[in-house]
Amino acid sequence: MSAHETVLGRLPALPEERRQSLPIAAVGIAAVAVAARFVAALAVNAPGAPSTVAVESLGWIATAIPALAAVVAGVFASRPTVGFGLLFVGVFGLLSLVSGAAAAPAAVAVVAGTVAVVVASRERLSTGERGAGAVLLIALAVGLASGVGGVVGLRSVASTLALAGLGLLPVFTATDGRALIGGGLAFGAVVAVGLSVPFVTGAVTLVGGGVVGTSLPVVALAAAGTVSTASAAGRTHNWPLLAGVVLLALAGVPATLGSAVPFALGIAALVSLEGSR
């Protein structure tokens, strides 16, 4: 018996439906926390902005809650490898909040844990989903190398990879005509706004997502993929998928652990959370 199975065995007996609903609820709460941080980050940079103290507090909370959600999802995961991977993400994510000295080992653990989750889930994924998962994983690793690892020159690469991964999100769901139309409108809107007010567009992507050195078409592609996937997930009541999309889209480029932990949880929600398939 594995250590993960031992932990599960020591938990109070819960119906199978409850075992699946708890991780979904935890990931959903994490998505709300990340969305709140995103909105607050944009708000404090607007004219007549409020104090940044609330945003700083939200930043801490928007890292802690996804880390705790990863722990909950890891404890209740049905597959030991997925459980261990999520626990790595969650535990080391929490440690990074306690001590700055834990940043480097936490960065390695977050990447390794997410890789373990994706590899353990590969048999459940289609070829397209594996490809999208690989792009998101590489974005996570390159992002942390650019930020925590100090390789600043990789930041633009990480930004492009993260946005490209968002553009590939529709492979995780059966998008219909309405979803595709929504994605197309989002693409056109971003291009139009980017061409008419490039400074505002650049400021929003930088402040809200930490995007650096990425072309407008890639940003528009990310918006299209996010909108179409979120639309399809919402109409089919696929809440784990919707939460994963929100986490990936609003966590920002994973160049810091504050962004990498929710970004990693978003990847895990897409590939492994029961109900997202």
Side-chain angles (χ1 to χ4, degrees):
M1 180 179 292
S2 70
H4 181 263
E5 292 170 333
T6 302
V7 171
L8 279 177
R10 292 178 178 176
L11 292 173
L14 292 174
E16 183 61 27
E17 183 178 350
R18 180 67 61 84
R19 285 182 179 271
Q20 293 183 10
S21 64
L22 284 175
I24 293 173
V27 173
I29 293 170
V32 172
V34 170
R37 178 179 66 182
F38 178 85
V39 172
L42 295 181
V44 299
N45 285 275
S51 169
T52 60
V53 174
V55 178
E56 292 173 357
S57 300
L58 278 175
W60 191 92
I61 293 171
T63 304
I65 291 181
L68 288 171
V71 171
V72 172
V75 168
F76 287 97
S78 58
R79 287 162 292 160
T81 304
V82 171
F84 279 124
L86 285 165
L87 287 173
F88 260 66
V89 172
V91 171
F92 279 92
L94 291 172
L95 285 176
S96 71
L97 293 173
V98 176
S99 171
V108 174
V110 167
V111 174
T114 312
V115 169
V117 172
V118 174
V119 171
S121 306
R122 66 189 183 279
E123 293 182 357
R124 309 170 73 229
L125 306 176
S126 66
T127 301
E129 290 169 340
R130 291 175 188 174
V135 172
L136 292 168
L137 272 178
I138 296 170
L140 177 65
V142 174
L144 284 171
S146 71
V148 178
V151 188
V152 180
L154 291 175
R155 184 61 178 271
S156 62
V157 177
S159 298
T160 300
L161 286 170
L163 292 176
L166 293 178
L168 295 173
L169 289 181
V171 302
F172 287 97
T173 186
T175 53
D176 55 18
R178 291 173 62 186
L180 292 175
I181 290 172
L185 290 174
F187 184 94
V190 170
V191 170
V193 172
L195 292 176
S196 59
V197 282
F199 177 78
V200 174
T201 305
V204 169
T205 55
L206 176 60
V207 172
V211 177
V212 175
T214 301
S215 65
L216 180 60
V218 177
V219 176
L221 178 64
T226 299
V227 170
S228 61
T229 308
S231 173
R235 286 202 309 279
T236 58
H237 298 170
N238 191 335
W239 307 128
L241 177 61
L242 182 59
V245 171
V246 171
L247 286 166
L248 288 168
L250 302 185
V253 178
T256 65
L257 285 163
S259 294
V261 171
F263 194 90
L265 181 62
I267 296 173
L270 259 62
V271 304
S272 70
L273 201 60
E274 296 298 331
S276 66
R277 312 306 317 138

